[in-house]
Amino acid sequence: LSMNMQTRIWTFHADRTWSSSLGGGACDTASDSLLFFDQGGFGPGSGGTLRVVPLSNPTGADTRYPLDGTPTPKWTSAAGSGWLVAEQPERSFFAWDNVARNLYIVTKHIRLDSSGNTAETRAALHRFSMVTRTWTQLTAAPLATGVSLAPYFIFCVWDPHSRCVLWPVANGPEGV
């Protein structure tokens, strides 16, 4: 849904904006598009997908950009070990820089050992450029051992004054 603040009328964008997302959304004012994540699916090869839906064209098709950015070596069923794709980016809240037209999202990546156990966890920072329509993986966040990376609680924001991504990392007794 979108609301025209002058007319106070809501517009339904049909199935184009349906999502399993629990995270946030943003509006790219340059293209008049809604940006949000959709669930990738189930299993180790199912990272989420960024959807870009043009709002000024009610019948226009949305464009989808799968998020990968998986560290190497990537997990394969043959090897039985490696890094998994981003865990549930549609559950995270991303930052949006409307001036540079960049989206930033922190995602959880898990590396499995050959026994299928978690060997390492990483908080990856990804950037999507609406100008070039490409993903870039940035430097992983340096987190203390034991910090939980529950996708439901990953929330970052864009600070336009300092031009940086802010991510308040909280880790209470319940691991969040």
Side-chain angles (χ1 to χ4, degrees):
L1 289 169
S2 64
M3 179 188 224
N4 181 316
M5 298 307 283
Q6 293 176 339
T7 64
R8 304 278 194 239
I9 296 174
W10 285 97
T11 301
F12 180 65
H13 296 278
D15 291 336
R16 297 179 334 129
T17 56
W18 180 91
S19 171
S20 58
S21 176
L22 293 180
C27 183
D28 175 26
T29 56
S31 67
D32 193 26
S33 297
L34 175 65
L35 289 77
F36 61 94
F37 276 90
D38 240 351
Q39 189 171 13
F42 301 101
S46 59
T49 299
L50 175 66
R51 290 181 59 191
V52 178
V53 179
L55 295 175
S56 56
N57 180 358
T59 59
D62 65 315
T63 309
R64 297 168 188 240
Y65 300 93
L67 170 62
D68 186 0
T70 306
T72 55
K74 292 183 180 183
W75 182 91
T76 64
S77 57
S81 63
W83 287 96
L84 302 177
V85 296
E87 184 177 305
Q88 296 182 312
E90 76 280 0
R91 304 276 194 255
S92 301
F93 294 85
F94 58 82
W96 172 247
D97 173 1
N98 198 47
V99 175
R101 300 180 66 208
N102 287 323
L103 175 148
Y104 297 90
I105 186 165
V106 176
T107 60
K108 176 181 180 179
H109 286 275
I110 297 172
R111 183 174 62 83
L112 300 179
D113 63 20
S114 57
S115 299
N117 299 315
T118 299
E120 187 178 352
T121 303
R122 181 181 293 175
L125 177 62
H126 308 274
R127 176 182 60 220
F128 182 79
S129 167
M130 277 294 290
V131 175
T132 63
R133 304 286 174 124
T134 56
W135 284 104
T136 303
Q137 184 168 348
L138 305 173
T139 305
L143 295 180
T145 303
V147 171
S148 173
L149 289 173
Y152 295 94
F153 301 104
I154 298 176
F155 187 104
C156 60
V157 294
W158 177 252
D159 177 355
H161 176 72
S162 300
R163 300 201 41 78
C164 67
V165 174
L166 300 175
W167 177 30
V169 179
N171 197 34
E174 55 290 321
V176 176

